[in-house]
Amino acid sequence: MVREKIRVSVSTRTLQWKCVESRTDSKRLYYGRFILSPLMKGQADTIGIAMRRALLGEIEGTCITRAKSEKIPHEYSTIGGIQESVHEILMNLKELVLRSNLYGTCDASIFVRGPGCVTAQDIIAPPYVEIVDTTQHIATLTEPIDLRIGLQLERNRGYRIKTPNNFQDGRYPIDAVFMPVRNVNHSIHSYSNGDEKQEILFLEIWTNGSLTPKEALYEASRNLIDLFIPFLYAEKENFHFGDNQDRLTLPPFLFHDRLTELRKNKIALKSSFIYQLELPPRIYNCFKNSNIHTLLDLLNNSNSQEDLMKIEHLCIEDVKQRLGIPEKHFAINLPKKKV
């Protein structure tokens, strides 16, 4: 992360964003630079890191994931009359940049008769698939032969490494890089607004041409918001808090009956140590400082609901996790309601 020392005049009333630079370096390289301000101290990093991850990992793209030709014996073979090896042709197909509103997969094909150069312009694709750079080289035919290749196009996100197979059906998987965003960088400018420290977030985006940086920013923002929507409509938990936030009212279940059920297997509980449960270090240290070393120790310190809160530095969420430790460890189904 680079901090920039520049003078920028911003509004202190509302949060605003602006595109300060936009250019097209080539058909397969777009660049955009955006600012967001004014932000409180620390917010620029929060937004910048989240947006970078969303831009690189949450936006869908379209690419070729498989090629098929019955005349090709294996991936590393050569074909008479074609200058490139099969592997080189597959690598050239991998470099193609596609733009589409495709859902799932679809088919495309190449059918060319030599001699001549085969480029992306020779691909026969559905009308809803656009080839960004039609000059992309695929193969060179040096003799009057036919080149027939079937292609599978897919829209997805992230990347997928091809898995080996026997290739008996003439299908060859291609490493798929669905990410339309090639690189993202964010930087922060801090300034004083009276007695308050504020920040400006600078966001730089490079794309492969299938999306403009502005479109990528919109898609990433929408996808990021969608990830948080479930939290807005989450159902209320059965845990109720009163005026004393340190007190916990447990859901309706027979507390002592659960402990009695668990204590039946004292030998297993005594030989099951806390460090084997993969607890977070802070919770493990709380148990250790309270001389709780086994599951039996843990249950003996939980004779009542009040006892749950006596361990120093444990919070309510820790207590809820603590109640589930013995059941998860022994997969015991306990009654949740009085009979």
Side-chain angles (χ1 to χ4, degrees), residues 102-144:
L102 171 68
Y103 179 80
T105 63
C106 71
D107 294 327
S109 62
I110 298 175
F111 178 37
V112 180
R113 181 168 182 81
C117 290
V118 182
T119 65
Q121 188 175 2
D122 297 308
I123 296 178
I124 303 172
Y128 48 82
V129 177
E130 176 188 351
I131 300 173
V132 173
D133 184 6
T134 57
T135 64
Q136 167 68 38
H137 179 75
I138 297 176
T140 301
L141 306 183
T142 58
E143 298 179 7

Side-chain angles (χ1 to χ4, degrees), residues 57 60 76 83 93 111 158 186 205 219-220 268 273-274 303 322:
E60 291 187 345
Y76 297 98
Q83 182 175 311
L93 291 172
F111 178 37
H186 81 277
I205 304 172
E219 289 291 332
F273 293 90
I274 295 298
N303 291 316
R322 181 184 174 186

Side-chain angles (χ1 to χ4, degrees), residues 228-237:
F228 287 96
I229 285 179
F231 293 109
L232 298 177
Y233 299 97
E235 295 182 359
K236 293 183 179 180
E237 297 183 5

Side-chain angles (χ1 to χ4, degrees), residues 247-248 250 253-257 259 263 298-311 319 322-323:
R247 304 286 295 179
L248 174 67
L250 297 175
F253 62 79
L254 204 54
F255 184 81
H256 291 288
D257 286 354
L259 299 181
R263 288 194 180 99
L298 177 61
L299 291 177
N300 287 337
N301 281 269
S302 303
N303 291 316
S304 67
Q305 297 183 24
E306 288 74 18
D307 290 338
L308 296 175
M309 302 303 301
K310 289 182 179 180
I311 296 180
V319 171
R322 181 184 174 186
L323 285 173

Side-chain angles (χ1 to χ4, degrees), residues 275-299:
Y275 73 84
Q276 297 173 314
L277 303 181
E278 300 180 355
L279 294 171
R282 186 178 60 79
I283 300 179
Y284 171 76
N285 290 332
C286 289
F287 289 157
K288 184 178 178 181
N289 294 335
S290 300
N291 293 320
I292 297 176
H293 304 288
T294 66
L295 285 178
L296 186 61
D297 295 335
L298 177 61
L299 291 177

